[in-house]
Structures are given as C-alpha cells and as structure tokens.
Amino acid sequence: MSELTEPRIPAVTAPPPIQRLPLLQLILVGLQHVLLMYGGAVAVPLIIGQAAGLSREEIAFLINADLLVAGVATIVQSMGIGPMGIRMPVMMGASFAAVGSMVAMAGMPGIGMTGIFGATIAAGFFGMIIAPFMSKIVRFFPPLVTGTVITSIGLSLFPVAVNWAGGGNAAVQFGSPLYLSIAALVLATILLINRFLRGFWVNISVLIGMALGYVLSGALGMVDLSGIGQAPWFQIVTPLHFGMPEFHLAPILSMCLVVVIIFVESTGMFLALGKITGQEVTPRMLRRGLLCDAGASFLAGFFNTFTHSSFAQNIGLVQMTGVRCRSVTIMAGVFLITLSLLPKAAFLVASIPPAVLGGAAIAMFGMVAATGIKILQEADIADRRNQLLVAVSIGMGLIPVVRPEFFAHLPMWMGPITHSGIAMAAVSAVSLNLMFNVLGGAERAAMSGHVHQL
C-alpha cells in the first residue's frame, strides 16, 4: 500500500468546544506552558539584540515586544479568529530558524534592526500568500513520515534539556553536582507525582517540580535578581520603536526561505498535536495554522520583533499532563501579554535557573520523542525500506545537533535548512517516502505478488 494518501476531509470541520476547567487549574496549567517556553521565547531577541550591539534597555524592549506578539499569536492560534488559528493547544514564540540569517543581517552595512524588521514583514506577507498551497502538503505526511519527524523533534530538543540540566551555557562549572541535584530533584518530583497522585496534581506536576527547584535554588543563592529594581513596573510596547522598516532584497529572500522551513516544522508539530488530542488535522486546519504563523511574523515586524512559529517543547507538556483543551494555551497567551506589560514580572520569570528548566525539560522533550515512536506503530515499520527511511531521516535530523558546523562550507542561503534538525528530518523523510513507497509502490506490489505465488 502506498504511504501517500489523500486525507479524509470531514463535511464539517468545526473546532472542538473550549472546555471549561476550574479557574485555579486553568491558571496553573497555563503558567506551566509559559514557564516551559519562556527561555526559548526570550533567547531569540536576546541573541539578535546582542549581535546588533543594542543597549540593555533596548534588548529588554525587544524581549517585551516578543512576549506581546507571542501572547497575541498564541491566543489567535488557539481560539481561531477569522481565517487564522488551528484551534488546538498551541504556544507561539520567536522562531530559532531565522537566528542565523538575522545575526548575519545585523552585521551587514546598511541593514541593522530596521532592515531585519522589514525582511520579517515581507516574509510574513509571503507566508500568507503561500500558506494555502503549503497546507496541501499534509498528504505527504502519512504516519510513517509524521512519526519520524516528531521523533526527530524530540531528539533535537533533548540536547537543550541536557544543557540546561548541567547549568546552562553561562555555568562556571558545567555539570556541577549542585546543578545535577537541582535538575534531578525537579525530575524526581514530576515522576513521583505522576506515580502516586491523580487528576489535578498530575496536571500541574511540572509546575510543582519547577517551583520546588526554584525555591531550593533561591535558598542556595542560585537565583540572580540583580537589576530587577531598575526595571519599570509598567511599560507599553509601541510599534516601530526603532524607526520605519527598510526593505532590502537579499535579507527578504533569506527570510522567505526561513518561512518555508517554519511551515515544514509547524506542519510536523500540528500533526503531532492532532495525534495527542485525537483530532484529524485536515488541509483546512493546517492552512489556518500556517496563516497564523505567517500573520504573526507580519505583525511582529511592525512591533519590533521577529518571525514567529509554534513551539515544539510545549507539545510534550500537553502529552504529559493530559490537559488537551485550548483554553489552557489561551490563558497562557494572556500571561504572555501581561508579562510584556510588566517588566519586573518578566524579569522574575527569567530568573529561573537553567538547572530547574532542565529537570522539567528532560521529561517534556522525551515525551515528544515518545509520541513520535507511538505514531510509528501505525506504519508498516517491519518493512526494511521503512526502517531505512526512519534510520536515515533521524540521522539527518541529528546532524545539526551533533555537529552544528557540519554544513559550514555550504552556501549561506541553505543555512535555515541545514541548521534545523527538524527541517533536515522532514525533507529526508518526505523524499525517501516518495522514493520508496510512492514512486516505488508498483514495484513493491509486484514483488509482493511474486512472493505470494512462490
């Protein structure tokens, strides 16, 4: 049987109703989502701001702008407004896929921040144009390909969890027993709650583990709150803070390629969420999700931030807690918007030590890979060709993780693909599925018939 089939499109594609959770549970589970993705959300503006030589105050403004757009995009993606939003529990934030390109732009004469924002706006507009066409690629993601890509997502995230658990990039003594003990405590708390408790407590197990780790870290002097006194209590993010955006051809072309890669990554994430929540992701739903990704990037350029996409790390949290309603991520979006207006509160969340995040992330990111393995069980994984597809695609996805400089001598325009393990795995899995199961389908059927005759 061919591993490429047209998806069944139901006559009615109304989203599931927004479930009503107890207010306390809604707040706490939403807060878990924010704490898990916050480090990634602020990392991109931090990196770009430093590369552009911005002051600390300007970098702080970039971070608040990112939180604002991420919050708005998360609410739109989860609720569905107009033609945008996949209406599933999705968290949005600044995409790492564009970091390499934007760092290069920051160093180009005459480009700067206004050139980066102009390229982001143009790329977002380009994404909105191609989203209806890209949404049709869902037919190229049968369980064999989807499971492989999602497994690769989990594996590509896992080094981030390990780096955090060891103390993070800034750790003086990476892997110190102190960092490892904090991470182990957080992880053990999550595991024990899932083993011995039920219901509400399991739903907030990650939050409890991180809170316990944060309190212990504070008692040991590991929480750095220096500078919180200088941060204002309230600050509104104003559009075009750095001036009118400028549009240059080379940066725009580079960012348009990034948007295509973001679409490929988001497709894998949406399909993973569909499996976890028991929803069939139709081309229409995928189009709405990709339109929201592109629309968020278009808006981001005006509000002093960068290309946005769905965050993979939060998929594991949905799977682990079992809370699969979109009201949780809507609440998380409200939290992000609130944090963008309250710099002191954002500063406090940013003070969570990496070791605390690492203990939680080991469980969360591992759950993403486990989801991919579960989906692979729906495919004919006993077939040797399919085994080869999984093996090669996961291996390709791990190349940028194991040796980021592996493709350093290839053209710069290929960077968004070669630096993304998710994109590498997706391109490999789709291509090999076409070669083995679609174009080679007739040959395989003939060989199967010949074997049966023998």
Side-chain angles (χ1 to χ4, degrees):
M1 181 181 294
S2 169
E3 286 286 349
L4 176 62
T5 56
E6 286 283 358
R8 178 178 60 83
I9 303 179
V12 179
T13 55
I18 297 179
Q19 294 174 263
R20 295 186 180 277
L21 293 177
L23 181 60
L24 179 60
Q25 182 175 353
L26 185 65
I27 291 173
L28 292 177
V29 180
L31 184 59
Q32 279 186 144
H33 275 287
V34 172
L35 295 179
L36 187 62
M37 60 85 69
Y38 191 90
V42 303
V44 173
L46 186 62
I47 293 170
I48 305 305
Q50 290 175 343
L54 300 183
S55 67
R56 185 171 181 177
E57 291 74 21
E58 289 174 323
I59 292 175
F61 187 90
L62 282 183
I63 291 173
N64 286 339
D66 178 67
L67 294 175
L68 174 64
V69 174
V72 172
T74 295
I75 292 173
V76 173
Q77 193 72 277
S78 302
M79 287 186 63
I81 297 177
M84 295 184 181
I86 198 168
R87 295 167 177 162
M88 290 200 298
V90 176
M91 293 296 295
M92 299 282 291
S95 173
F96 276 90
V99 168
S101 298
M102 291 189 294
V103 168
M105 292 178 208
M108 292 180 183
I111 303 298
M113 297 303 297
T114 53
I116 292 174
F117 296 142
T120 301
I121 293 169
F125 182 73
F126 170 76
M128 289 190 285
I129 293 175
I130 68 169
F133 306 100
M134 289 291 293
S135 65
K136 299 182 186 302
I137 67 173
V138 69
R139 66 191 295 264
F140 293 97
F141 284 79
L144 177 65
V145 174
T146 302
T148 301
V149 173
I150 295 169
T151 302
S152 180
I153 291 173
L155 294 178
S156 64
L157 288 171
F158 209 75
V160 177
V162 174
N163 182 53
W164 283 344
N169 293 326
V172 178
Q173 290 183 313
F174 183 85
S176 161
L178 180 60
Y179 297 138
L180 302 186
S181 298
I182 295 293
L185 173 68
V186 174
L187 179 59
T189 302
I190 295 170
L191 295 176
L192 290 172
I193 291 174
N194 278 269
R195 170 62 180 85
F196 293 107
L197 299 179
R198 294 289 182 272
F200 173 77
W201 298 106
V202 171
N203 294 343
I204 63 168
S205 59
V206 175
L207 182 61
I208 294 173
M210 293 179 66
L212 185 60
Y214 186 84
V215 171
L216 181 59
S217 299
L220 295 174
M222 295 171 58
V223 176
D224 182 12
L225 294 177
S226 60
I228 192 171
Q230 288 73 41
W233 282 103
F234 184 80
Q235 184 179 45
I236 296 177
V237 175
T238 53
L240 306 178
H241 177 79
F242 293 87
M244 290 297 294
E246 299 178 3
F247 300 92
H248 305 274
L249 182 60
I252 288 174
L253 293 177
S254 176
M255 294 297 281
C256 286
L257 177 60
V258 167
V259 165
V260 175
I261 302 306
I262 287 174
F263 279 1
V264 173
E265 293 179 347
S266 292
T267 298
M269 296 173 201
F270 292 150
L271 292 171
L273 266 179
K275 294 291 183 180
I276 292 171
T277 59
Q279 289 182 257
E280 180 184 12
V281 179
T282 64
R284 181 175 181 271
M285 289 176 64
L286 184 58
R287 181 178 70 249
R288 293 180 61 91
L290 297 180
L291 272 173
C292 186
D293 277 9
S297 298
F298 180 77
L299 177 69
F302 290 102
F303 276 85
N304 320 291
T305 185
F306 315 105
T307 49
H308 274 56
S309 67
S310 308
F311 262 38
Q313 50 262 54
N314 291 84
I315 295 174
L317 186 57
V318 174
Q319 171 76 328
M320 186 163 188
T321 63
V323 181
R324 301 167 185 177
C325 57
R326 50 202 176 104
S327 56
V328 170
T329 48
I330 293 171
M331 175 59 73
V334 172
F335 275 130
L336 288 173
I337 294 173
T338 304
L339 286 172
S340 75
L341 301 174
L342 304 173
K344 284 187 184 294
F347 196 104
L348 190 64
V349 176
S351 70
I352 298 175
V356 175
L357 293 172
I362 287 174
M364 296 298 97
F365 300 168
M367 288 295 287
V368 178
T371 299
I373 294 170
K374 179 182 178 182
I375 295 171
L376 281 173
Q377 294 174 354
E378 302 175 23
D380 184 12
I381 200 63
D383 186 283
R384 179 181 55 82
R385 291 183 180 181
N386 290 346
Q387 291 175 7
L388 192 59
L389 180 153
V390 174
V392 171
S393 299
I394 289 179
M396 294 295 288
L398 287 176
I399 289 175
V401 175
V402 177
R403 292 300 295 267
E405 71 278 16
F406 188 84
F407 296 109
H409 297 289
L410 294 183
M412 184 177 295
W413 64 266
M414 296 182 66
I417 302 174
T418 57
H419 291 162
S420 169
I422 300 172
M424 291 286 291
V427 170
S428 173
V430 170
S431 301
L432 292 178
N433 184 58
L434 286 172
M435 183 174 74
F436 287 156
N437 297 313
V438 179
L439 301 179
E443 174 191 348
R444 178 178 293 195
M447 290 178 61
S448 177
H450 179 67
V451 170
H452 284 308
Q453 290 177 0
L454 294 177

